[in-house]
Amino acid sequence: MKLITGGAYSGKTAFAVSEFGISDIKDGAECSISEIFNAECIRNYHIFVRRLIEANTDPVEFTLKLCSDNNNITVIMNEIGCGIVPIEKSERLWREKCGKCGCIIAKNSDIVVRVICGIGTYIKGTRI
Amino acid sequence: MITLITGGSKCGKSALAEKIICVFSGRKFYIATMKPYGEEAFCAIEKHREMRHGKGFETIEKYTDLNEIVLTEKSVVLIECMGNLCANEMFRDGKVINPTEKIISDIKYLANMCECLTIVTNEVGNDGISYESGTEKYIACINEINRRISQFADNVIECVYGIPVILKGELCC
């Protein structure tokens, strides 16, 4: 399992394609919830977390299941926690769940890369 | 030894801070700066209490004026967190003041009594949103405090979804 994170539009998906040769990328903003159990890669996992909350599915439990059932997946998700605490309760919940899910994915990944300005830094594991 | 731990929301900063503290054998103090207002604050405080349970921490609830705390020599101290402390010092008595100098002085005062001082802070300036002036001042202050502490801290570590990224010094655990 791999995690690629960083800010919005920092070049995470392009990095995944060039570094790991990934071709089939599901978009967490619109893919079906079940198909990610067979997916090679999912991007926008932070948006996927929001969709899980909206579907009354606990994102933390879901993420734990994903880690055990599809541990070859590459997950691309934005780092969204580095701002002011949102006023809206639902936004705070989303932010909190994203943080927890990100920690679970990072823990289960052999490789974690953070991308800034299109440049990926390995913060866990090393380049193969 | 002074260690500053920064990062976004729910990214594993506290767990890392506690791991660092548990390397040391001295008397352990947890300085809690969050005011227990509202259900969410209560829940957050309860979760942190559970995490610390059994690790031998003595909790000191102090929302402002950390210079009033008296510790025994060679204490091992965790301050959590700068985000709350900065807000509490900044918006007190119905006024908005710049708390930077006071907080830096209070941190240095505590550091003198500690064998190990670990401070958890927050990255709050990266959401690209423009806020009203009070919040903008808050973002400026906490970042200034973070920069100032980083100058005299031995270690500065950023947490990215639970992964420690060493920005200065080293990770002792």
Side-chain angles (χ1 to χ4, degrees), chain B residues 94-126:
Chain B
K95 286 177 286 189
V96 179
I97 56 146
N98 184 335
T100 305
E101 295 304 330
K102 177 178 192 326
I103 289 175
I104 294 299
S105 148
D106 292 356
I107 294 290
K108 285 183 173 170
Y109 159 80
L110 284 176
N112 277 333
M113 289 185 282
C114 296
E115 188 185 0
C116 165
L117 176 65
T118 300
I119 305 155
V120 172
T121 187
N122 309 84
E123 285 302 309
V124 298
N126 302 353

Side-chain angles (χ1 to χ4, degrees), chain A residues 49-62:
Chain A
V49 167
R50 188 196 287 279
R51 291 174 61 211
L52 289 172
I53 295 169
E54 284 164 2
N56 288 319
T57 302
D58 180 2
V60 170
E61 278 174 30
F62 185 95

Side-chain angles (χ1 to χ4, degrees), chain A residues 13-14 25-27 29 38 45 54 63 65 71-72 74 76 79 81 91 97 99-100 116 119 126:
Chain A
T13 302
I25 302 176
K26 305 291 179 208
D27 186 348
N38 303 310
Y45 195 78
E54 284 164 2
T63 300
K65 188 165 160 51
N71 65 4
N72 283 323
T74 297
I76 303 172
E79 232 189 315
E91 294 291 314
K97 296 293 182 191
K100 286 183 179 163
I116 298 172
I119 297 166
T126 48

Side-chain angles (χ1 to χ4, degrees), chain A residues 87-100:
Chain A
I87 292 170
E88 280 291 320
K89 189 174 181 178
S90 61
E91 294 291 314
R92 290 199 295 277
L93 179 76
W94 172 57
R95 203 170 83 125
E96 181 176 331
K97 296 293 182 191
C98 277
K100 286 183 179 163

Side-chain angles (χ1 to χ4, degrees), chain A residues 5 77-84 89 92 95-96 98-100 102-103 106 112 114 123-124, chain B residues 7-12 40 47 123-127 131 135 138-139 158 160-163 165:
Chain A
T5 189
M77 77 185 286
N78 291 12
E79 232 189 315
I80 64 152
C82 297
I84 290 291
K89 189 174 181 178
R92 290 199 295 277
R95 203 170 83 125
E96 181 176 331
C98 277
K100 286 183 179 163
C103 287
V112 180
R114 185 161 54 160
I123 62 173
K124 182 180 181 184
Chain B
S9 156
K10 300 291 175 288
C11 68
E40 280 176 69
K47 276 182 200 163
E123 285 302 309
V124 298
N126 302 353
D127 58 14
Y131 293 93
T135 307
Y138 170 75
I139 296 170
E158 180 192 9
V160 181
Y161 288 137
I163 308 292
V165 177

